[in-house]
Each structure stands twice: as C-alpha cells, then as structure tokens.
Amino acid sequence: SSGHMVEAEGAQMRIGSLFSGYGGLDLAIHEVLGAETAWVSDIDKGAATVLAHRFPDVPNLGDITAIDWSTVEPVDIIAGGFPCQDISSAGKGAGMRPGTRSGLWSHMAYAISQLRPRLVVIENVRALISASAHSDVEPCTWCVGDSPDGVMRALGAVLADLADIGYDATWHGLRAADIGAPHGRFRVFVVAYPYGQQSQGVGALPRLGRRSDSRGDLQLLPTPVVNDMGDGKTLEWWDDTDRMKVGHGNGNGHGASLAIEAMRLLPTLRTENNENRQSESHAGTRGNFHGLLTGAVQWGDYADAIHRWETITRPAPPPTTPGKNGPRLNPAFSEWMMGVPAGWFTDIPGISRTQALKLAGNGVVPQQAAQALRIILAHIAETRTAA
C-alpha cells in the first residue's frame, strides 16, 4: 500500500533537513510520505527566521560544516538542496569543487554516511547535469575529472559519491510548469536509498500520473530569482537599456525580469488632480505611484498560465506594491508563484522585502518536488517488480 514506507517501523518517518530555506522540500516530503521534520540546518538569516516561525519546536543545527554528526538524532530521511551558486547558469562556473559553495555537497554526503537514513532526497538546478565537478570516487590522478577541464559532471559526482557510501539512486528532472506553475523553473531531483533496500518497500508507493503541461503554448512568467536586475527600475529604463533589451535578459543568466514583467501587467493609470506631482524621471510609467490604479490586473499573455495556477492554488496576489520610486515586485506574488501557503514567509515578523524575494528565488516549489518524488518512487517500484 501507499503507506508501506511510513508504517514500516510503526511510526511516522522523520526528516533531517539540510540547506532548508523556507522548508519547501520538507513540505513536499510531508505531502507524499507524511513525514515530519525532526531538525533543520540553515544559516541564512531570513531562512532561519522562517524556519523558527513555521517549525517552532524543531532545532536548527546551524552551519553544516560545524555539525558533529555523532551527536545528531538519526532520521529516516535526509533532504536538502545544496547551494547551487557555482553550478547555476547565473554563477561564475566554478563547478562543484572543494572550496566552493556548491562544494558543500561533500558535507551533505558525509552527513548521509554517518546517519545512514532510509531515504535521501536531493534537489538542485538544471546545471547539475552539466556543470563540472570533483569526486573522490576517481581512482587515479589521471582519471575522469582530475584535469583542469575534466569531464566529471556535478550529477555524476553526486551519484558516484552516493554509490561510494553504499547508496543506490534514481534522478528525475522537471519544470515547475509541468505541475501547473506559471513559470518554467527546471529542477533536478535525486532519491537515494541504501543498496538493496528497494526490495524492502522504498518504492511501495503506487504509480501516480504526472500532470503534464498539455498547453505547450502557454506564455510563462519569468521565475523568481534572488537578484532581479529589474527590481526598482522603470519600464522605460529597462526597455531603453541595450544590455537588458538584447534578448530581454535579466543581466544574471536568468532571462527576463519578473519585476519588469509584473509592472507590464498593471492596470490603467488614472490621476486625480495630481499630475504635477508626477516626477519627471518616472513620467509615463504605467502604474506610477502618484496615480490611482483602476480595474483588474491585465495578465495579458500570461493570463492562461496565471489562471491555471490559481485553480491549483489560490487567487494571485497583486503583482506589484507601491514603492517610493514607483511600483515594485510584490514579494507575495513571488511567494504565490512558488506554491507555498499564503504568507508562508511574507507574513512573518522580521522578514524584510529583500529577504522575502531572496527566499522565493532560492526556494523549492513543493508541488513540483512532490510530483518528482512520486515519479521517482514509482519508477523504483517498477524496477523492483521487474527484477
């Protein structure tokens, strides 16, 4: 039955969460397996504030590089999305190597080797498939990946390191749009388990159909990012700046700016005897903060994608909020795009606008992670049956 994994030892499974962020991956695992979070680990101030608020009885172990794993409570599941800066297309291409932020994977691998959980769930960016990496699995100094331009890839290194500590693994990639989200964020998910355990119920979940994006013509919004180059800018500045206009790029490898596209969606501006208050630098900006916005938001080309996600989650919040220099991207809109409950990180005391946008940019869409987990577990179950 679908509860086989959860009931295998007569108790609810427990999650050890690494690089926890706002807990999106934990929410997904809870949805699929009913597991509860035992402890978390994150040193980002905004993330730590959210975790303390949403998981008040769960300890934060802090810096993963300083944890003594011999003192940590064993768990059934270790989950985490190790930092992607050095493998992401928005980064500098340092790869997953010692000394890099993405090299923190080695500390996650060590935690797995020490606690020996029954299940490991890993999430990362698309570039995990192609970014360069170092791995201790290489048997000699002239083997794969040891040359400056070696061909060992980050995903290969992760799978090799897991194999080295006795874990089998299966991976799957999908877009947020594949489960109905209004943006195309692609993520790679890896599920690992001790060698041979697949015959003991790891894949006992039934096959659950994938909600495919049958509307391939949907215009998707840009995905939330940590540093949106369009935030605080005007439409005129953005469209008149060659560096941004070429390819409609975001200046950081992420493509179009969500902040700019949000401003394009604003309804018609109406002014009431305050035309003289409109600053010259923002004259003509749709939705200028000195005017009154009238009518419903015009979602334009994004309407189908927006409405689809609304039917799955909840009504979309306004895409912008007033700022001293004009409308700005609304963090609650980014939060809605990420599929977490309303106010999950935007309604927490002490969370700044900047922190909220960073959390959205670094976060996991729980529905996307849950679907990936279902697909992988179903595949493992099929493999077990075929064997």
Side-chain angles (χ1 to χ4, degrees):
S1 69
S2 62
H4 183 85
M5 282 190 66
V6 179
E7 298 169 359
E9 295 184 4
Q12 186 176 33
M13 292 202 299
R14 292 169 64 77
I15 307 167
S17 178
L18 299 173
F19 314 108
S20 306
Y22 56 61
L25 195 54
D26 297 12
L27 291 175
I29 298 171
H30 176 78
E31 177 186 334
V32 177
L33 297 176
E36 64 178 5
T37 303
W39 46 259
V40 298
S41 170
D42 207 305
I43 59 175
D44 177 80
K45 184 177 179 181
T49 301
V50 174
L51 294 169
H53 187 87
R54 296 300 176 193
F55 305 95
D57 299 322
V58 173
N60 187 338
L61 305 185
D63 185 355
I64 189 174
T65 68
I67 297 173
D68 179 356
W69 292 107
S70 67
T71 67
V72 174
E73 173 191 0
V75 288
D76 302 287
I77 303 168
I78 286 181
F82 57 89
C84 66
Q85 291 96 321
D86 301 300
I87 58 178
S88 170
S89 60
K92 296 182 179 180
M96 198 175 74
R97 301 177 182 279
T100 67
R101 287 279 292 159
S102 298
L104 289 173
W105 154 250
S106 64
H107 292 276
M108 184 173 182
Y110 182 71
I112 296 167
S113 71
Q114 296 302 297
L115 297 184
R116 311 297 301 178
R118 289 195 287 150
L119 200 67
V120 176
V121 181
I122 300 165
E123 172 268 344
N124 218 288
V125 299
R126 181 196 294 268
L128 188 72
I129 300 171
S130 58
S132 62
H134 163 85
S135 175
D136 290 335
V137 78
E138 298 162 12
C140 57
T141 57
W142 60 88
C143 294
V144 171
D146 281 314
S147 66
D149 299 318
V151 295
M152 175 66 84
R153 301 304 180 190
L155 178 58
V158 168
L159 298 176
D161 292 343
L162 286 168
D164 199 41
I165 58 178
Y167 277 73
D168 282 338
T170 299
W171 65 276
H172 183 76
L174 75 166
R175 303 176 306 157
D178 291 333
I179 53 88
H183 57 106
R185 173 174 287 181
F186 188 98
R187 286 294 182 264
V188 175
F189 297 89
V190 180
V191 172
Y193 44 90
Y195 177 74
Q197 185 173 302
Q198 70 269 30
S199 63
Q200 300 171 15
V202 169
L205 290 176
R207 167 173 285 281
L208 298 172
R210 173 176 174 175
R211 184 192 292 122
S212 63
D213 181 12
S214 58
R215 289 290 304 278
D217 59 337
L218 287 184
Q219 180 69 33
L220 300 174
L221 283 160
T223 194
V225 296
V226 173
N227 297 308
D228 193 317
M229 303 296 287
D231 193 35
K233 305 297 193 301
T234 66
L235 293 177
E236 289 78 8
W237 179 90
W238 186 271
D239 290 340
D240 291 342
T241 302
D242 289 340
R243 181 167 67 92
M244 301 302 181
K245 189 165 53 177
V246 175
H248 201 71
N250 197 5
N252 60 3
H254 286 293
S257 162
L258 178 60
I260 293 296
E261 293 308 294
M263 282 194 286
R264 296 189 198 279
L265 301 175
L266 290 177
T268 303
L269 173 70
R270 184 181 82 245
T271 58
E272 292 185 350
N273 300 321
N274 63 355
E275 288 85 352
N276 293 333
R277 296 175 57 198
Q278 190 172 13
S279 65
E280 181 178 351
S281 62
H282 294 89
T285 299
R286 226 179 329 171
N288 183 277
F289 69 110
H290 291 309
L292 299 176
L293 299 177
T294 62
V297 173
Q298 302 299 309
W299 297 117
D301 292 340
Y302 303 114
D304 286 347
I306 293 288
H307 296 327
R308 181 179 66 173
W309 196 228
E310 286 182 318
T311 63
I312 296 171
T313 58
R314 61 183 186 277
T320 67
T321 56
K324 65 178 182 179
N325 294 319
R328 304 186 73 183
L329 177 62
N330 182 6
F333 185 68
S334 295
E335 178 183 62
W336 171 80
M337 290 177 65
M338 295 304 292
V340 294
W344 183 257
F345 54 82
T346 56
D347 288 349
I348 295 178
I351 293 293
S352 69
R353 176 180 181 278
T354 299
Q355 287 174 328
L357 292 174
K358 180 180 179 181
L359 286 163
N362 279 330
V364 178
V365 178
Q367 298 89 336
Q368 178 185 10
Q371 185 68 354
L373 185 55
R374 293 184 183 106
I375 291 169
I376 294 173
L377 291 175
H379 174 75
I380 294 170
E382 286 182 356
T383 303
R384 179 202 59 170
T385 302

